[in-house]
Amino acid sequence: MATSVKMDEETKTQLERLQAEIRLKTDQRVTQQELLTRLVETATESKADFIDSFRPNRVPVSNQQRAKFHDGRISSGVTTT
């Protein structure tokens, strides 16, 4: 059973370009359905990396940088919650 997938024009264009590039480099015709199936299979195989790609980008902070940041803190003597 086929199900339609809605996508914006830019994504559709990228999919078509990828489809054309596969055709040029492999001399194999690939349907967009086959292409999407392969993309999902590839994402599933490297699931952790794929899921991480949706996380907000964060700049990694080294332990040394973290320690330097905390060294600048002082206690005001007031307990907060």
Side-chain angles (χ1 to χ4, degrees):
M1 174 186 358
T3 302
S4 63
V5 176
K6 292 183 181 183
M7 62 182 79
D8 60 36
E9 285 300 316
E10 178 62 27
T11 302
K12 176 77 170 163
T13 300
Q14 289 176 329
L15 189 63
E16 290 168 348
R17 286 181 183 156
L18 186 56
Q19 185 181 20
E21 189 171 345
I22 290 169
R23 170 83 168 122
L24 287 172
K25 292 186 176 183
T26 68
D27 201 31
Q28 298 285 323
R29 289 188 183 269
V30 178
T31 66
Q32 289 183 359
Q33 182 176 345
E34 291 170 321
L35 184 55
L36 287 170
T37 298
R38 183 72 60 94
L39 287 168
V40 169
E41 287 171 355
T42 302
T44 302
E45 289 170 2
S46 57
K47 197 180 301 183
D49 292 337
F50 186 72
I51 291 170
D52 285 344
S53 74
F54 286 91
R55 296 184 195 283
N57 291 334
R58 294 184 181 166
V59 177
V61 177
S62 70
N63 289 336
Q64 182 181 10
Q65 291 170 318
R66 185 175 289 117
K68 185 176 179 181
F69 173 80
H70 288 293
D71 284 346
R73 295 184 349 184
I74 60 168
S75 174
S76 66
V78 177
T79 303
T80 60
T81 58

Coordinates of all heavy atoms in Angstrom, one line a residue:
M1 N 0.8 -1.2 0.0 CA 0.0 0.0 0.0 C 0.9 1.2 0.0 O 1.8 1.4 0.8 CB -0.9 0.0 1.2 CG -1.7 1.3 1.3 SD -2.7 1.6 2.8 CE -2.6 0.3 3.9
A2 N 0.6 2.1 -0.9 CA 1.4 3.4 -1.0 C 0.7 4.5 -0.3 O -0.5 4.6 -0.2 CB 1.6 3.8 -2.5
T3 N 1.5 5.3 0.4 CA 1.0 6.4 1.1 C 1.8 7.7 0.6 O 3.0 7.6 0.4 CB 1.3 6.3 2.6 OG1 0.7 5.1 3.1 CG2 0.8 7.4 3.4
S4 N 1.1 8.7 0.4 CA 1.7 9.9 -0.1 C 2.4 10.7 1.1 O 2.0 10.6 2.2 CB 0.7 10.9 -0.7 OG -0.3 11.3 0.2
V5 N 3.5 11.4 0.8 CA 4.2 12.1 1.8 C 4.3 13.6 1.3 O 4.6 13.8 0.2 CB 5.6 11.6 1.9 CG1 6.4 12.4 2.9 CG2 5.6 10.1 2.4
K6 N 3.9 14.5 2.2 CA 3.9 15.9 1.8 C 5.3 16.4 2.1 O 5.9 16.1 3.2 CB 2.9 16.7 2.6 CG 1.5 16.3 2.2 CD 0.5 17.2 2.9 CE -0.9 16.8 2.5 NZ -1.9 17.7 3.2
M7 N 5.9 17.2 1.2 CA 7.2 17.8 1.4 C 7.2 19.2 0.7 O 6.4 19.4 -0.3 CB 8.3 16.9 0.9 CG 8.3 16.6 -0.5 SD 9.6 15.5 -1.0 CE 9.0 13.9 -0.5
D8 N 8.0 20.1 1.1 CA 8.1 21.4 0.5 C 8.8 21.2 -0.8 O 9.5 20.2 -1.2 CB 8.7 22.4 1.4 CG 10.1 22.0 1.8 OD1 10.9 21.5 1.0 OD2 10.5 22.4 3.0
E9 N 8.8 22.3 -1.6 CA 9.4 22.3 -3.0 C 10.9 22.1 -2.9 O 11.5 21.4 -3.8 CB 9.1 23.6 -3.7 CG 7.6 23.6 -4.2 CD 7.3 22.5 -5.2 OE1 8.1 22.2 -6.1 OE2 6.2 21.9 -5.0
E10 N 11.6 22.7 -1.9 CA 13.0 22.5 -1.8 C 13.4 21.1 -1.6 O 14.3 20.5 -2.2 CB 13.6 23.4 -0.7 CG 15.1 23.3 -0.5 CD 15.9 23.7 -1.7 OE1 15.5 24.5 -2.5 OE2 17.0 23.1 -1.8
T11 N 12.7 20.4 -0.7 CA 13.0 19.0 -0.4 C 12.7 18.1 -1.6 O 13.5 17.2 -1.9 CB 12.1 18.5 0.8 OG1 12.4 19.4 1.9 CG2 12.4 17.1 1.2
K12 N 11.6 18.4 -2.3 CA 11.3 17.7 -3.5 C 12.4 17.9 -4.6 O 12.8 16.9 -5.2 CB 9.9 18.2 -4.1 CG 9.5 17.6 -5.4 CD 8.9 16.2 -5.2 CE 8.3 15.8 -6.5 NZ 8.1 14.3 -6.5
T13 N 12.9 19.1 -4.7 CA 14.0 19.3 -5.7 C 15.2 18.6 -5.3 O 15.9 18.0 -6.1 CB 14.2 20.8 -5.7 OG1 13.0 21.5 -6.2 CG2 15.4 21.2 -6.7
Q14 N 15.5 18.6 -4.0 CA 16.7 17.8 -3.5 C 16.6 16.3 -3.8 O 17.5 15.7 -4.2 CB 17.0 18.1 -2.0 CG 17.4 19.5 -1.7 CD 17.6 19.7 -0.2 OE1 16.8 19.1 0.6 NE2 18.5 20.5 0.1
L15 N 15.4 15.8 -3.6 CA 15.1 14.4 -3.8 C 15.3 14.1 -5.3 O 15.9 13.1 -5.7 CB 13.7 14.0 -3.4 CG 13.3 12.6 -3.4 CD1 14.2 11.8 -2.4 CD2 11.9 12.4 -3.0
E16 N 14.8 15.0 -6.2 CA 14.9 14.8 -7.6 C 16.4 14.9 -8.1 O 16.8 14.1 -8.9 CB 14.1 15.8 -8.4 CG 12.6 15.5 -8.2 CD 11.7 16.7 -8.7 OE1 12.2 17.8 -8.9 OE2 10.5 16.4 -8.8
R17 N 17.1 15.8 -7.5 CA 18.6 15.9 -7.8 C 19.3 14.6 -7.4 O 20.2 14.2 -8.1 CB 19.2 17.1 -7.2 CG 18.8 18.4 -7.8 CD 19.4 19.6 -7.1 NE 18.9 20.8 -7.8 CZ 18.9 22.0 -7.2 NH1 19.4 22.1 -5.9 NH2 18.5 23.1 -7.8
L18 N 19.0 14.1 -6.2 CA 19.7 12.9 -5.7 C 19.3 11.7 -6.6 O 20.2 10.9 -7.0 CB 19.2 12.6 -4.3 CG 19.9 11.5 -3.6 CD1 21.4 11.6 -3.5 CD2 19.4 11.4 -2.1
Q19 N 18.1 11.7 -7.0 CA 17.6 10.6 -7.9 C 18.4 10.7 -9.3 O 18.8 9.7 -9.8 CB 16.1 10.8 -8.2 CG 15.5 9.7 -9.0 CD 14.0 10.0 -9.1 OE1 13.5 11.1 -9.0 NE2 13.2 8.9 -9.5
A20 N 18.5 11.9 -9.8 CA 19.2 12.1 -11.1 C 20.7 11.8 -10.9 O 21.3 11.1 -11.8 CB 19.1 13.5 -11.5
E21 N 21.3 12.1 -9.8 CA 22.7 11.8 -9.6 C 23.0 10.3 -9.5 O 24.0 9.8 -10.0 CB 23.2 12.6 -8.3 CG 24.7 12.5 -8.2 CD 25.3 13.4 -7.1 OE1 24.5 14.2 -6.6 OE2 26.4 13.2 -6.7
I22 N 22.1 9.6 -8.8 CA 22.2 8.2 -8.8 C 22.1 7.6 -10.1 O 22.9 6.7 -10.5 CB 21.1 7.6 -7.8 CG1 21.4 8.0 -6.4 CG2 21.0 6.1 -8.0 CD1 20.3 7.7 -5.4
R23 N 21.2 8.1 -10.9 CA 21.1 7.6 -12.3 C 22.4 7.9 -13.1 O 22.8 7.0 -13.9 CB 19.9 8.3 -13.0 CG 19.8 8.1 -14.5 CD 19.0 6.8 -14.8 NE 18.7 6.8 -16.2 CZ 19.1 5.8 -17.0 NH1 19.8 4.8 -16.6 NH2 18.7 5.8 -18.2
L24 N 22.9 9.0 -13.0 CA 24.1 9.4 -13.7 C 25.3 8.5 -13.3 O 26.1 8.1 -14.1 CB 24.5 10.9 -13.6 CG 23.6 11.8 -14.3 CD1 23.9 13.3 -13.9 CD2 23.8 11.7 -15.8
K25 N 25.5 8.3 -12.0 CA 26.7 7.7 -11.5 C 26.6 6.2 -11.5 O 27.6 5.5 -11.5 CB 27.0 8.2 -10.1 CG 27.5 9.7 -10.1 CD 27.9 10.1 -8.8 CE 28.4 11.6 -8.9 NZ 29.0 12.1 -7.7
T26 N 25.4 5.6 -11.5 CA 25.3 4.2 -11.4 C 24.6 3.6 -12.6 O 24.6 2.3 -12.8 CB 24.4 3.7 -10.2 OG1 23.1 4.1 -10.3 CG2 25.0 4.3 -8.9
D27 N 24.1 4.4 -13.5 CA 23.3 4.0 -14.7 C 22.1 3.1 -14.3 O 21.7 2.2 -15.0 CB 24.2 3.2 -15.6 CG 23.6 3.2 -17.1 OD1 22.9 4.2 -17.4 OD2 23.9 2.2 -17.8
Q28 N 21.6 3.3 -13.1 CA 20.4 2.6 -12.6 C 19.3 3.6 -12.4 O 19.5 4.7 -11.8 CB 20.7 1.9 -11.3 CG 21.8 0.9 -11.3 CD 21.3 -0.4 -11.9 OE1 20.2 -0.8 -11.8 NE2 22.2 -1.0 -12.7
R29 N 18.1 3.3 -12.8 CA 16.9 4.1 -12.6 C 16.4 3.7 -11.2 O 16.3 2.6 -10.8 CB 15.8 3.8 -13.6 CG 16.1 4.4 -14.9 CD 14.9 4.3 -15.8 NE 15.2 4.7 -17.2 CZ 15.0 6.0 -17.5 NH1 14.5 6.9 -16.7 NH2 15.3 6.4 -18.8
V30 N 16.2 4.7 -10.4 CA 15.7 4.6 -9.0 C 14.4 5.4 -8.9 O 14.4 6.6 -9.2 CB 16.7 5.0 -8.0 CG1 16.2 4.9 -6.6 CG2 18.0 4.2 -8.2
T31 N 13.4 4.8 -8.4 CA 12.2 5.6 -8.1 C 12.3 6.4 -6.8 O 13.2 6.1 -6.0 CB 10.9 4.7 -8.0 OG1 11.1 3.9 -6.8 CG2 10.7 3.8 -9.2
Q32 N 11.5 7.4 -6.7 CA 11.6 8.2 -5.5 C 11.2 7.3 -4.3 O 11.7 7.5 -3.2 CB 10.7 9.4 -5.6 CG 11.3 10.4 -6.5 CD 10.6 11.7 -6.6 OE1 9.5 11.9 -6.0 NE2 11.1 12.6 -7.4
Q33 N 10.3 6.4 -4.5 CA 9.9 5.5 -3.4 C 11.1 4.6 -3.0 O 11.3 4.5 -1.8 CB 8.7 4.6 -3.8 CG 8.2 3.7 -2.7 CD 7.0 2.8 -3.1 OE1 6.4 3.1 -4.1 NE2 6.7 1.8 -2.3
E34 N 11.8 4.1 -3.9 CA 13.0 3.3 -3.6 C 14.0 4.1 -2.9 O 14.7 3.7 -1.9 CB 13.6 2.7 -4.9 CG 12.8 1.6 -5.5 CD 13.4 1.2 -6.9 OE1 13.8 2.1 -7.7 OE2 13.3 0.0 -7.2
L35 N 14.2 5.4 -3.3 CA 15.1 6.3 -2.7 C 14.8 6.6 -1.3 O 15.6 6.5 -0.4 CB 15.2 7.6 -3.6 CG 16.2 8.6 -3.2 CD1 17.6 8.1 -3.1 CD2 16.2 9.8 -4.2
L36 N 13.5 6.9 -1.0 CA 13.0 7.2 0.3 C 13.2 5.9 1.2 O 13.6 6.0 2.4 CB 11.6 7.7 0.3 CG 11.4 9.1 -0.2 CD1 9.9 9.4 -0.4 CD2 12.0 10.1 0.7
T37 N 12.9 4.8 0.7 CA 13.0 3.5 1.4 C 14.5 3.3 1.9 O 14.8 3.0 3.0 CB 12.6 2.3 0.6 OG1 11.2 2.5 0.3 CG2 12.8 1.0 1.3
R38 N 15.4 3.5 0.9 CA 16.8 3.4 1.2 C 17.3 4.4 2.3 O 18.1 4.1 3.2 CB 17.7 3.5 0.0 CG 19.1 3.3 0.1 CD 19.5 1.9 0.4 NE 19.1 1.0 -0.7 CZ 19.9 0.6 -1.7 NH1 21.1 1.1 -1.8 NH2 19.5 -0.2 -2.6
L39 N 16.8 5.6 2.1 CA 17.1 6.7 3.1 C 16.7 6.3 4.5 O 17.4 6.5 5.5 CB 16.6 8.0 2.7 CG 17.2 8.7 1.5 CD1 16.4 9.9 1.0 CD2 18.6 9.2 1.9
V40 N 15.5 5.8 4.6 CA 14.9 5.4 5.9 C 15.7 4.2 6.5 O 16.1 4.2 7.7 CB 13.4 5.0 5.8 CG1 12.9 4.4 7.1 CG2 12.6 6.3 5.5
E41 N 16.1 3.3 5.6 CA 16.9 2.1 6.1 C 18.2 2.6 6.6 O 18.7 2.1 7.6 CB 17.1 1.1 4.9 CG 15.8 0.3 4.6 CD 16.0 -0.5 3.3 OE1 17.1 -0.4 2.6 OE2 15.1 -1.2 3.0
T42 N 18.9 3.5 5.9 CA 20.2 4.0 6.3 C 20.1 4.8 7.6 O 20.9 4.6 8.5 CB 20.7 4.9 5.2 OG1 20.8 4.2 4.0 CG2 22.1 5.5 5.6
A43 N 19.0 5.6 7.8 CA 18.8 6.3 9.0 C 18.6 5.3 10.2 O 19.0 5.6 11.3 CB 17.7 7.3 8.9
T44 N 17.8 4.2 9.9 CA 17.5 3.3 10.9 C 18.8 2.5 11.4 O 19.0 2.2 12.5 CB 16.5 2.3 10.4 OG1 15.3 3.0 10.1 CG2 16.1 1.3 11.5
E45 N 19.7 2.3 10.4 CA 20.9 1.5 10.8 C 21.8 2.4 11.7 O 22.6 1.8 12.5 CB 21.7 1.2 9.5 CG 21.0 0.1 8.7 CD 21.6 -0.2 7.3 OE1 22.6 0.5 6.9 OE2 21.1 -1.0 6.6
S46 N 21.8 3.7 11.5 CA 22.6 4.6 12.3 C 21.7 5.5 13.1 O 21.8 6.7 13.1 CB 23.6 5.4 11.5 OG 22.9 6.1 10.5
K47 N 20.8 4.8 13.8 CA 19.7 5.5 14.5 C 20.2 6.6 15.5 O 19.7 7.7 15.5 CB 18.9 4.5 15.3 CG 17.5 5.0 15.7 CD 16.7 3.9 16.4 CE 16.5 2.7 15.6 NZ 15.7 1.7 16.2
A48 N 21.2 6.3 16.3 CA 21.7 7.2 17.3 C 22.2 8.5 16.6 O 21.9 9.6 17.0 CB 22.8 6.6 18.1
D49 N 23.0 8.4 15.5 CA 23.4 9.6 14.8 C 22.3 10.3 14.2 O 22.3 11.6 14.2 CB 24.4 9.1 13.7 CG 25.7 8.6 14.2 OD1 26.1 8.9 15.3 OD2 26.4 7.9 13.4
F50 N 21.3 9.6 13.6 CA 20.2 10.3 13.0 C 19.4 11.1 14.1 O 19.0 12.2 13.9 CB 19.3 9.3 12.3 CG 18.2 9.9 11.6 CD1 18.4 10.6 10.4 CD2 16.8 9.8 12.0 CE1 17.4 11.2 9.7 CE2 15.8 10.3 11.3 CZ 16.1 11.0 10.1
I51 N 19.1 10.4 15.2 CA 18.4 11.1 16.3 C 19.2 12.3 16.8 O 18.6 13.4 17.0 CB 18.1 10.1 17.4 CG1 17.1 9.1 17.0 CG2 17.6 10.9 18.7 CD1 16.9 7.9 17.9
D52 N 20.5 12.2 16.9 CA 21.3 13.3 17.4 C 21.3 14.5 16.4 O 21.4 15.6 16.8 CB 22.8 12.8 17.6 CG 22.9 12.0 18.9 OD1 22.0 12.1 19.7 OD2 24.0 11.4 19.0
S53 N 21.0 14.2 15.1 CA 21.0 15.3 14.2 C 19.8 16.2 14.4 O 19.8 17.3 13.9 CB 20.9 14.7 12.7 OG 19.6 14.2 12.4
F54 N 18.8 15.8 15.2 CA 17.7 16.7 15.6 C 17.9 17.5 16.9 O 17.1 18.3 17.2 CB 16.4 15.8 15.7 CG 15.9 15.4 14.4 CD1 16.3 14.1 13.9 CD2 15.0 16.1 13.7 CE1 15.8 13.7 12.6 CE2 14.5 15.7 12.4 CZ 14.9 14.5 11.9
R55 N 19.0 17.2 17.6 CA 19.3 17.9 18.8 C 19.8 19.3 18.4 O 20.4 19.5 17.4 CB 20.3 17.2 19.6 CG 19.8 15.8 20.1 CD 20.9 15.2 21.0 NE 20.7 13.8 21.3 CZ 19.8 13.3 22.1 NH1 19.0 14.1 22.8 NH2 19.6 12.0 22.2
P56 N 19.5 20.3 19.3 CA 20.1 21.6 19.0 C 21.6 21.5 19.1 O 22.2 20.8 19.9 CB 19.5 22.5 20.2 CG 18.8 21.6 21.1 CD 18.7 20.2 20.5
N57 N 22.2 22.3 18.2 CA 23.7 22.3 18.2 C 24.2 23.0 19.4 O 23.7 24.0 19.8 CB 24.2 23.0 16.9 CG 23.9 22.3 15.7 OD1 23.8 21.1 15.7 ND2 23.8 23.0 14.6
R58 N 25.1 22.3 20.0 CA 25.8 22.9 21.2 C 27.3 22.9 21.0 O 27.8 21.9 20.4 CB 25.5 22.0 22.5 CG 24.0 22.1 22.8 CD 23.8 21.3 24.1 NE 22.3 21.4 24.4 CZ 21.8 20.6 25.3 NH1 22.5 19.7 26.0 NH2 20.5 20.7 25.5
V59 N 27.9 23.9 21.5 CA 29.3 24.0 21.4 C 29.9 23.2 22.6 O 29.6 23.5 23.7 CB 29.8 25.4 21.4 CG1 31.3 25.5 21.4 CG2 29.2 26.2 20.3
P60 N 30.7 22.2 22.3 CA 31.3 21.4 23.4 C 32.2 22.2 24.3 O 33.0 23.1 23.7 CB 32.0 20.3 22.7 CG 32.2 20.7 21.3 CD 31.2 21.7 21.0
V61 N 32.1 22.0 25.5 CA 33.0 22.8 26.5 C 33.9 21.7 27.2 O 33.4 20.7 27.7 CB 32.1 23.5 27.5 CG1 33.0 24.2 28.6 CG2 31.2 24.5 26.9
S62 N 35.2 22.0 27.1 CA 36.1 21.1 27.7 C 36.0 21.2 29.3 O 35.5 22.2 29.8 CB 37.5 21.4 27.3 OG 38.0 22.7 27.9
N63 N 36.5 20.2 29.9 CA 36.5 20.2 31.4 C 37.3 21.4 32.0 O 37.0 21.9 33.0 CB 37.1 18.9 31.9 CG 36.1 17.7 31.7 OD1 34.9 17.9 31.6 ND2 36.7 16.5 31.7
Q64 N 38.4 21.7 31.3 CA 39.2 22.8 31.7 C 38.4 24.1 31.6 O 38.4 25.0 32.5 CB 40.5 22.9 30.8 CG 41.4 24.1 31.2 CD 42.6 24.1 30.3 OE1 42.7 23.4 29.3 NE2 43.6 24.9 30.7
Q65 N 37.7 24.3 30.5 CA 36.8 25.5 30.3 C 35.7 25.6 31.4 O 35.4 26.6 31.9 CB 36.3 25.6 28.9 CG 37.3 25.8 27.9 CD 36.7 25.6 26.5 OE1 35.9 24.7 26.2 NE2 37.0 26.5 25.6
R66 N 35.2 24.4 31.7 CA 34.1 24.3 32.7 C 34.6 24.7 34.1 O 34.0 25.5 34.8 CB 33.5 22.9 32.7 CG 32.3 22.8 33.6 CD 31.7 21.4 33.6 NE 31.0 21.2 32.3 CZ 31.3 20.3 31.4 NH1 32.3 19.5 31.5 NH2 30.6 20.2 30.2
A67 N 35.8 24.2 34.4 CA 36.4 24.5 35.7 C 36.8 26.0 35.8 O 36.5 26.6 36.8 CB 37.7 23.7 35.9
K68 N 37.3 26.6 34.7 CA 37.6 28.0 34.7 C 36.3 28.8 34.9 O 36.4 29.8 35.7 CB 38.2 28.4 33.4 CG 38.7 29.8 33.3 CD 39.4 30.1 32.0 CE 39.9 31.5 31.9 NZ 40.6 31.8 30.6
F69 N 35.2 28.4 34.3 CA 34.0 29.1 34.5 C 33.5 29.1 36.0 O 33.2 30.1 36.6 CB 32.9 28.5 33.6 CG 31.5 29.1 33.9 CD1 31.1 30.3 33.3 CD2 30.6 28.4 34.7 CE1 29.8 30.8 33.6 CE2 29.3 28.9 34.9 CZ 28.9 30.1 34.3
H70 N 33.6 27.9 36.6 CA 33.2 27.8 38.0 C 34.1 28.4 39.0 O 33.7 28.8 40.1 CB 32.9 26.3 38.3 CG 31.7 25.7 37.6 ND1 30.5 26.1 38.0 CD2 31.6 24.8 36.7 CE1 29.6 25.4 37.2 NE2 30.3 24.6 36.4
D71 N 35.4 28.6 38.6 CA 36.3 29.2 39.5 C 36.0 30.7 39.7 O 36.3 31.3 40.7 CB 37.8 29.2 38.9 CG 38.4 27.8 39.1 OD1 37.9 27.0 39.9 OD2 39.4 27.5 38.4
G72 N 35.3 31.3 38.8 CA 34.9 32.7 38.9 C 33.7 32.9 39.8 O 33.4 34.1 40.1
R73 N 33.1 31.9 40.3 CA 31.9 32.0 41.1 C 32.3 32.3 42.6 O 33.4 31.9 43.0 CB 31.1 30.8 41.1 CG 30.5 30.5 39.8 CD 29.6 29.3 39.8 NE 29.6 28.5 41.0 CZ 29.0 27.4 41.2 NH1 28.2 26.9 40.2 NH2 29.1 26.7 42.3
I74 N 31.5 33.1 43.2 CA 31.7 33.4 44.6 C 30.5 33.2 45.4 O 29.4 33.2 44.8 CB 32.2 34.9 44.9 CG1 31.1 35.9 44.4 CG2 33.5 35.1 44.2 CD1 31.3 37.3 44.8
S75 N 30.6 32.9 46.7 CA 29.4 32.7 47.5 C 29.0 34.0 48.1 O 29.8 34.7 48.7 CB 29.7 31.7 48.6 OG 28.6 31.6 49.5
S76 N 27.7 34.4 48.0 CA 27.3 35.6 48.6 C 26.8 35.4 50.1 O 26.5 36.3 50.8 CB 26.1 36.2 47.8 OG 25.0 35.3 47.9
G77 N 26.8 34.1 50.5 CA 26.4 33.8 51.8 C 24.9 33.7 52.0 O 24.4 33.4 53.1
V78 N 24.1 33.9 50.9 CA 22.7 33.8 51.0 C 22.2 32.5 50.4 O 22.7 32.1 49.3 CB 22.0 35.0 50.2 CG1 20.5 34.9 50.2 CG2 22.4 36.3 50.7
T79 N 21.4 31.7 51.1 CA 20.9 30.5 50.6 C 19.7 30.7 49.7 O 18.8 31.4 50.1 CB 20.5 29.6 51.8 OG1 21.7 29.4 52.6 CG2 20.1 28.2 51.3
T80 N 19.8 30.1 48.5 CA 18.7 30.3 47.6 C 18.1 28.9 47.3 O 18.7 27.9 47.5 CB 19.1 30.9 46.3 OG1 20.1 30.1 45.7 CG2 19.7 32.3 46.5
T81 N 16.9 28.9 46.8 CA 16.3 27.6 46.4 C 16.0 27.6 44.9 O 16.0 28.6 44.2 CB 14.9 27.4 47.1 OG1 14.1 28.5 46.7 CG2 15.1 27.3 48.6

